[in-house]
Amino acid sequence: MMKANVLYGLGDLRTADIDRPVPGAGEVLLRIGACGVCGSDIPRVFTKGTYRFPTVPGHEFAGRIVELGAGVDPALLNCKSAVFPLLPCRNCAYCEIGEFALCDNYDYMGSRRDGGFAEYIVVPVWNLVLAPDSLSFEELAMTEPAAVAVHALRQAGIDIGDSVLISGAGPIGLMLAYWSRAWGASRIMLADVDATKLDFANALGFADTFNPLQGSVGDWAKSLTNGAGADVAIEGAGISASWENCLRAVRKLGRVVLMGNPAGGMALTQDGYWEMLRKQLTVRGTWNSGYAASPRNEWKLAVDSMASGKLDLKPLISHRCSLDETFEALQMMRDRSQFFNKVLILPSGDKV
């Protein structure tokens, strides 16, 4: 048996003792050291649900391999690993070209099948992203959002010396800022309507922050870029005003990447639409992350960057909780009853 947070219905997340899974051929049993709470987990638990009930949520997790299924390399035992939570069909046209996030028939840990709000999980060897012992479980649990963030920047075609505007200063927005800094951005600008998030960003060393409630994001970005506007803008909030702010803040021939999950309908004003036309902007969507070996496995890039010290995400962690405390933590996030950035669940109590 093992302890897990089980979603039995909308808003009905309970800590329960359930059967501990057994790894089959080509699989391992992972003892979960840490699991992050994604912003998408909040509607999944409280309003939208998972694809079936009961389900164990959670897709941002890492742990240690403690048991091997048939045919698995014995050298994997006791290794630390992050986990790519998407299980592609490996047969559709998109899988054939390595675009696993676009798979026509995928499965997904934490929404379509049981995920990481638990002490243990069974994982196919293919989904393991092995990591050195020097990285903590807490850091490794942030591999998924870090890979999502770097995928968005790669969609933008960021180059050394680019100025980058990020609309939304939550966990992913700050990871975008960290990646931009590591990539050699000349200026990193963060916009958010939550003053506490901007204060947190300032404390992390990002000085160029702005609250759209206090003026024009476009004018502010131009004032910091010699009147031109940002080379790249990433929309990370998923609301219409944020999208339009990005279009206004970016320079002519600039690039805009849409990343934020929309909470509702998205619409532009006529003037916002004109921004795309008259500036001849490149506007791209981004989804999930790249897991193919070529041209770049973004999960391994994230782990390698954390291991080398180029990407230090530990300061983003604001809350840690046990499985027994998870539901209260999710309620806090839903109600925004206190400031939070990255919330981690420590299912097994492991510290390293």
Side-chain angles (χ1 to χ4, degrees):
M1 300 296 286
M2 69 171 183
K3 184 182 288 188
N5 287 137
V6 182
L7 186 65
Y8 292 99
L10 291 181
D12 186 12
L13 185 75
R14 285 176 266 155
T15 305
D17 290 322
I18 62 175
D19 290 336
R20 191 172 83 173
V22 177
E27 298 178 331
V28 303
L29 181 69
L30 194 79
R31 178 178 168 86
I32 298 174
C35 183
V37 180
C38 177
S40 66
D41 288 324
I42 304 306
R44 190 168 287 129
V45 168
F46 292 106
T47 57
K48 294 184 178 179
T50 48
Y51 285 80
R52 60 172 174 80
F53 296 120
T55 310
V56 177
H59 59 271
E60 301 180 2
F61 58 91
R64 190 177 297 279
I65 299 166
V66 295
E67 188 177 331
L68 309 177
V72 176
D73 184 353
L76 292 179
L77 192 64
N78 294 320
C79 287
K80 278 185 174 181
S81 184
V83 176
F84 180 57
L86 189 149
L87 297 104
C89 72
R90 313 281 289 280
N91 293 314
C92 71
Y94 299 101
C95 285
E96 286 182 358
I97 61 172
E99 291 286 356
F100 301 115
L102 302 181
C103 172
D104 286 332
N105 302 292
Y106 69 92
D107 203 349
Y108 207 84
M109 302 178 203
S111 59
R112 296 170 184 251
R113 65 162 61 189
D114 286 347
F117 288 9
E119 291 181 309
Y120 296 90
I121 190 171
V122 162
V123 176
V125 170
W126 184 83
N127 293 75
L128 296 173
V129 186
L130 299 179
D133 274 332
S134 60
L135 283 177
S136 68
F137 293 128
E138 294 185 353
E139 292 171 277
L140 281 177
M142 292 187 281
T143 304
E144 194 273 347
V148 168
V150 78
H151 184 69
L153 282 175
R154 295 183 73 228
Q155 292 289 89
I158 186 174
D159 199 2
I160 294 172
D162 276 349
S163 56
V164 180
L165 176 118
I166 301 160
S167 183
I172 290 281
L174 290 173
M175 289 184 189
L176 284 164
Y178 272 108
W179 276 119
S180 298
R181 186 160 63 189
W183 218 308
S186 61
R187 189 178 288 276
I188 301 163
M189 298 166 276
L190 285 152
D192 201 292
V193 296
D194 187 335
T196 57
K197 290 182 179 180
L198 299 181
D199 290 342
F200 188 67
N202 294 154
L204 295 175
F206 298 105
D208 293 327
T209 59
F210 186 78
N211 190 327
L213 299 178
Q214 298 177 351
S216 166
V217 174
D219 290 345
W220 169 70
K222 290 173 184 176
S223 73
L224 298 177
T225 54
N226 296 317
D231 297 297
V232 172
I234 313 288
E235 196 295 301
I239 59 175
S240 298
S242 175
W243 179 17
E244 187 146 336
N245 284 339
C246 287
L247 298 175
R248 293 178 180 277
V250 77
R251 65 167 172 82
K252 296 175 183 178
L253 301 178
R255 291 98 72 198
V256 177
V257 174
L258 307 180
M259 184 187 69
N261 291 333
M266 299 288 284
L268 285 179
T269 66
Q270 184 182 39
D271 286 343
Y273 193 82
W274 277 118
E275 293 284 325
M276 290 193 291
L277 300 186
R278 290 181 177 274
K279 291 181 180 176
Q280 295 188 192
L281 302 181
T282 298
V283 181
R284 296 194 63 172
T286 185
W287 187 249
N288 208 301
S289 53
Y291 196 66
S294 179
R296 184 66 56 86
N297 185 315
E298 291 159 351
W299 282 69
K300 292 181 180 178
L301 175 62
V303 169
D304 290 346
S305 297
M306 287 189 285
S308 68
K310 293 178 182 177
L311 191 69
D312 181 12
L313 302 181
K314 296 187 295 294
L316 298 184
I317 303 169
S318 62
H319 291 74
R320 299 168 176 86
C321 65
S322 67
L323 285 172
D324 291 330
E325 299 166 330
T326 299
F327 188 62
E328 288 74 18
L330 268 62
Q331 287 179 311
M332 177 274 293
M333 296 174 68
R334 178 197 63 187
D335 300 338
R336 301 184 181 274
S337 57
Q338 58 182 277
F339 170 77
F340 65 90
N341 191 61
K342 196 63 199 172
V343 178
L344 293 182
I345 302 166
L346 308 179
S348 59
D350 293 340
K351 300 298 182 185
V352 296

